[in-house]
Amino acid sequence: MGKFQTISSKGIKHYTVFEKRSFRNILGLERELQTYNFIGEGGYVLSETYLDSPNNLLASAGIILCKVIVGNKAYFRVEREDFLFGKKLMDEKKVYVHPIKASDTVEDHSFFIKDGITSLFTTKFNIDFDNILKTVVPKIEVTTKVDVFKILSGTGFKGVMSFEEVKIRNNFTKRRAEVYLMTVEQASSMLTTEGFDNFIQKLEKYCKEITPTTDSSYQIAERLTK
């Protein structure tokens, strides 16, 4: 049985990174940032497979269906394409998450996925989801190697910085791409974003190898493999 989750953009910043060796340069900023320490926490591999019918019926309706595998967890995720709602970045958005086994297919869970789609949207769809979900195939496959670093500051700020090496394969266009990304996130226990905002201001001042982005991982993958 799936459930809805609310994802907030507050206290989170995403970047594209110039090249792989930029990660090493970012870690070297400890000397410039002075009061901040970066502590390695290990890493993991994230697999995301975006699914659609051969004629892109889900995408044309603003529906993003993704199978996610990370560690020993797997789930289907349903979300709305942000740009269809007038802006690319929202403070909060809801996604539908349905846990599965890694080997499970969309057809194994079509009832729950259909329920998630119809509950997530207020739009009345004239789409036969039962039949469409039987036809979906992997559209874009994204494999991300993530290295995680804890951010600690003498001022009390705590955060997490993730370096992401992303490999993309678009099965519809037959194109491949690689991109380097970084995410900085405030620790959930912090009540205000003041410490986070101060860290971001210093990071962007001293590091010219990163560019802020509001695009989702799906938007980045699709754009790079058109």
Side-chain angles (χ1 to χ4, degrees), residues 87-130:
K87 54 183 178 180
K88 296 183 74 173
L89 182 66
M90 297 182 285
D91 291 336
E92 289 186 347
K93 74 176 193 176
K94 287 186 177 180
V95 300
Y96 177 79
V97 174
H98 177 66
I100 59 171
K101 296 178 181 177
S103 59
D104 287 353
T105 67
V106 169
E107 199 165 355
D108 294 330
H109 298 270
S110 60
F111 174 82
F112 297 102
I113 295 171
K114 176 185 173 183
D115 184 60
I117 292 172
T118 54
S119 299
L120 188 62
F121 287 78
T122 56
T123 306
K124 295 283 186 179
F125 289 108
N126 296 315
I127 298 176
D128 185 353
F129 285 114
D130 290 322

Side-chain angles (χ1 to χ4, degrees), residues 205-224:
K205 176 182 178 181
Y206 289 106
C207 184
K208 304 305 180 183
E209 299 177 70
I210 59 175
T211 303
T213 180
T214 60
D215 289 342
S216 68
S217 58
Y218 173 75
Q219 289 169 330
I220 291 172
E222 189 176 46
R223 183 180 69 248
L224 293 177

Side-chain angles (χ1 to χ4, degrees), residues 2 18 33 43 56 63-65 72 101 117 147 153-154 159 168 210:
F18 182 62
L33 299 176
N56 282 307
I63 301 165
I64 302 174
L65 173 60
N72 59 358
K101 296 178 181 177
I117 292 172
D147 289 316
S153 169
I168 306 161
I210 59 175

Side-chain angles (χ1 to χ4, degrees), residues 159-175:
V160 176
M161 181 166 61
S162 301
F163 296 154
E164 304 161 21
E165 299 179 43
V166 185
K167 294 185 178 181
I168 306 161
R169 181 173 68 187
N170 190 319
N171 296 315
F172 284 19
T173 65
K174 308 302 181 185
R175 294 193 62 188

